Each structure stands twice: as C-alpha cells, then as structure tokens.
Amino acid sequence: MRVRKVFAVLGTLLALAAVVPSGAGAAEETEKQGAKKPTVVLVHGAFADASSWNGVVERLQRKGFPVVAVANPLRSVTGDADYLRKVLASIDGPIVLVGHSYGGMVGSQAALGNPNVKSLVYVAAFAPEKGESALELSNKFPGSTLGDTLSAIDIGDGSKDLTIQQDKYWQQFAADVSRKDATLAAATQRPINDTALTEKAGEPAWHTIPSYFVVAGKDKNIPIAAQKWMAERAHARAVVEVRGASHSVAVSQPDTVADLIVRAAR
C-alpha cells in the first residue's frame, strides 16, 4: 500500500510539472512579453543636449519602455541623419522615433526606409517636406524671435556655430522652466552649425509612417502656427497642444510628452 501511495504522489507531481511552467520558463515568458514594447529613441535639437529628455525618459522607463536618448551631432541634416540611421539600425524590434525641434528634421530623414520605425513623434519640432530648411519653416509664420538671441562662433571653414546667449536663454527657449534649470541648460547647451539650419531636407518618412505632434503654445523658436501647419500637412494621428508651453515643452511637461509617446507606441 505504501509503495502504491508513493507512486501516486510521484504521478501527481509529474502531471503538475507538465502543466505548470517552471520558474525559468515563466521568467522567459515575462521577458518575451517585455520585449514586445518598442524602443523609444529620443533625438534632441539645437541649443540642448540629451539630458533635456531626462523627465520623459524617467516616465517611459517606469512604464517598461527601453529608451535611447541620442547625442545629435548638430553638424548637418544629412550627416546627422546618417548617424541616427546607424543608431536605429543597431536596435532590434519596433521603434518609436521622437524628435524635438531640429531633431524632427533629422528623424524625418533617418527613418525613411527603416521598417522597424512604426511611429514618429514631433515635440515642438520641424516636420519638413523635401527641399525645406529649418530656417525657412521657422520663418514661414510670424513669431520666432530666435535670431536676435544668437551668438556666432567662427569655426574657420566658412561656417559658424550658433548658441543662444545665456542671459537670453530662459525667456527665449525655456520660459516655463524654473530659472535655475534654465540657467543650467543655457550653460550646457550644444551649438548647432549654421549650415544645418539652412540645408534643405531630403524625402521625409512622415509620408509613410504615422505621426503624432506635441505643439507648444508659446514657442518663441518655432511659432505654434508653423507647428500646427506641419502637423496638418502630415495628417497627424494626434495633435496635443500645450497652452503656455515654451520650446522646452519636453522639460516643462514631461507627463504630456511621455503620454503621447505611449499612445504612439500602441
């Protein structure tokens, strides 16, 4: 009788083992489920660096998204797009590509032909048509006051690197950010070469990839009228207007920006 009971218990355990996944199997399944989330690639624009995405990164990571905040070279549209294209090629699986300001110029070109890029998100950003430049788009509608705040550094090849004068940075670029944080951003801003702002864009990916837009209501770099016009032209799936937001809307309103990225990821 005792032997029969032992075999009965063993039989039950084996049956359970066949039905219930092992700890390792469950972990692998969880890992597979986590891998289904697309990688969010964030591209900063001129007069900023990758740390300008910190608030957005933190919120996306809390939601389980893998995130890459790219160091945009800010040298030329073609060169910057080539660099971003290589970054995108190194990422496995689906991608949501997000650009702020000039980062939209770069992302529009770099995503073209990449089947992994499923959505484009423009955050107070340029969404150019072929043949348009950032300078042309920022001046298409009245309201940009950027030109009067710039300083130029002659780099010896006929071109100039541009920065925003530090004492004008807060009001021009980040008026809805704390003065302390704006002062830090002004000191750490990365310059853009002037030829990048006048270079004409190539064929844009927004013709074939769904796009989403955050438009900043009090942007002094890219007038809100220009942002809305580009969103309409791109037949954006969603446009979120943040009234009172400066050009640094990703810094001042990270929840709003992260929420739209999550929506684009779906």
Side-chain angles (χ1 to χ4, degrees):
M1 288 294 291
R2 183 176 293 176
V3 172
R4 287 182 181 177
K5 286 182 179 179
V6 169
F7 277 108
V9 171
L10 285 173
T12 302
L13 290 173
L14 288 170
L16 286 170
V19 175
V20 180
S22 69
E28 287 173 4
E29 185 62 26
T30 301
E31 193 172 320
K32 286 178 183 177
Q33 290 174 359
K36 290 178 182 177
K37 285 186 180 294
T39 298
V40 178
V41 177
L42 305 166
V43 186
H44 68 82
F47 320 118
D49 63 16
S51 69
S52 60
W53 292 112
N54 282 355
V56 175
V57 171
E58 180 184 3
R59 284 153 178 81
L60 292 173
Q61 288 179 336
R62 278 204 304 257
K63 295 177 184 293
F65 286 92
V67 184
V68 176
V70 178
N72 190 357
L74 306 179
R75 300 293 85 194
S76 70
V77 176
T78 300
D80 298 343
D82 285 345
Y83 174 73
L84 178 57
R85 195 174 290 113
K86 292 178 176 65
V87 174
L88 297 176
S90 73
I91 297 171
D92 292 328
I95 296 167
V96 175
L97 182 58
V98 186
H100 172 244
S101 191
Y102 168 79
M105 297 280 298
V106 177
S108 292
Q109 195 159 312
L112 189 67
N114 186 330
N116 284 344
V117 180
K118 306 301 183 184
S119 301
L120 298 168
V121 182
Y122 294 87
V123 180
F126 294 111
E129 181 56 276
K130 183 178 180 180
E132 294 175 340
S133 70
L135 183 63
E136 176 186 345
L137 287 169
S138 63
N139 291 323
K140 188 173 185 66
F141 296 88
S144 177
T145 56
L146 177 63
D148 293 336
T149 70
L150 296 177
S151 291
I153 304 166
D154 191 335
I155 60 174
D157 63 356
S159 68
K160 293 179 172 61
D161 270 3
L162 303 175
T163 59
I164 296 177
Q165 298 166 37
Q166 290 194 30
D167 62 340
K168 297 179 180 177
Y169 190 96
W170 184 34
Q171 289 302 320
Q172 176 61 39
F173 199 85
D176 59 341
V177 175
S178 74
R179 186 159 196 162
K180 176 183 176 183
D181 289 343
T183 300
L184 288 172
T188 59
Q189 65 177 298
R190 294 186 50 219
I192 187 168
N193 192 271
D194 61 351
T195 58
L197 298 179
T198 57
E199 182 180 347
K200 297 185 182 300
E203 190 71 31
W206 54 258
H207 280 297
T208 54
I209 300 175
S211 61
Y212 300 75
F213 284 71
V214 176
V215 299
K218 290 193 174 179
D219 195 325
K220 294 182 178 179
N221 279 27
I222 309 173
I224 187 171
Q227 295 178 42
K228 287 182 173 181
W229 178 77
M230 287 184 282
E232 183 177 357
R233 180 176 66 175
H235 303 292
R237 295 284 180 91
V239 180
V240 176
E241 180 179 344
V242 187
R243 295 181 179 180
S246 72
H247 193 59
S248 293
V249 62
V251 178
S252 63
Q253 301 289 335
D255 286 310
T256 299
V257 173
D259 286 347
L260 186 62
I261 293 170
V262 171
R263 183 174 174 183
R266 292 175 183 152

